[in-house]
Amino acid sequence: LALPVQVAYGADLERAMRVMEDAVRAQPRVLADPAPQALVVAFADSGINLEVGFWIADPEAGSGVLKSNVNLAIWRSFSAEGIEI
């Protein structure tokens, strides 16, 4: 799976990417191997587009709730770290 997130141009990209990867790793359905990986995707008009990719063991169980949980964890962590979306 892959989830996009846009951060402000002033954001610390390396820290934002670590936060995204940590948020994914904290989910029990996410596989440790291959490890989650955050990437810089594009420089957009309003911010920098990032994406975090990860694998799950049970795709037949669906992904909607998991994606929501990851997005919420990223949002909470970004807020705590002062990373602007």
Side-chain angles (χ1 to χ4, degrees):
L1 299 173
L3 294 176
V5 177
Q6 187 178 82
V7 297
Y9 270 99
D12 179 336
L13 292 183
E14 286 86 4
R15 188 170 79 187
M17 292 165 69
R18 280 192 303 273
V19 165
M20 292 170 68
E21 290 171 353
D22 290 345
V24 170
R25 279 190 201 97
Q27 302 301 315
R29 293 179 56 201
V30 172
L31 296 174
D33 186 27
Q37 185 175 23
L39 304 167
V40 177
V41 176
F43 298 103
D45 291 338
S46 300
I48 300 172
N49 295 340
L50 305 177
E51 182 176 273
V52 62
F54 54 96
W55 293 87
I56 59 175
D58 57 352
E60 68 280 356
S63 62
V65 172
L66 176 61
K67 288 179 181 180
S68 178
N69 290 341
V70 170
N71 281 328
L72 185 57
I74 289 170
W75 179 79
R76 287 178 176 154
S77 296
F78 276 13
S79 294
E81 295 281 332
I83 299 169
E84 186 179 346
I85 294 177

